[in-house]
Amino acid sequence: MLSHTARTVTIRGTRSLSALSLGSVPAGPPDAIIGLTDAYNSSTAPHKVNVGVGAYRDDSGKPYVLPVVKVAEARVIEKGLNKEYAGIAGIAGFVDRSLEFAYGK
């Protein structure tokens, strides 16, 4: 449970608004990502990889690039593509094919 002391606050000289008392608000469920980090920290596996964050690092703090990412990167380079993020609308050809796949032609 969270706890917070109820109090009266003054807004623009008017002393009538009471702050919300959080004492009766139950805590939400634990965060899954933090759970992954906790599991990583408590693991004794010799080849563990922390996958709870966007940038993976080994035990010495150096970046670890997943082998599948290296393969994908090589394919991008071979095809002469760039690594730019797609715009908000996505990549037109991918979106079109995804819609065809989902809804049919």
Side-chain angles (χ1 to χ4, degrees):
M1 291 279 200
L2 298 172
S3 65
H4 187 276
T5 305
R7 60 192 163 109
T8 302
V9 278
T10 302
I11 298 178
R12 294 188 184 156
T14 305
R15 224 179 139 236
S16 61
L17 182 63
S18 292
L20 173 66
S21 174
L22 299 178
S24 62
V25 177
D31 186 284
I33 298 298
I34 292 172
L36 283 174
T37 301
D38 290 342
Y40 171 81
N41 289 336
S42 65
S43 173
T44 58
H47 303 292
K48 66 183 181 178
V49 175
N50 184 352
V51 296
V53 294
Y56 307 131
R57 300 196 179 277
D58 62 17
D59 287 335
S60 14
K62 296 190 185 213
Y64 175 78
V65 180
L66 298 170
V68 69
V69 172
K70 290 179 182 180
V71 170
E73 183 177 44
R75 289 180 183 172
V76 167
I77 292 168
E78 284 173 13
K79 293 182 178 183
L81 302 173
N82 62 45
K83 295 183 188 179
E84 290 293 326
Y85 286 101
I88 193 75
I91 300 168
F94 179 81
V95 172
D96 292 343
R97 287 190 185 99
S98 298
L99 291 171
E100 288 173 6
F101 175 77
Y103 300 111
K105 284 194 173 193

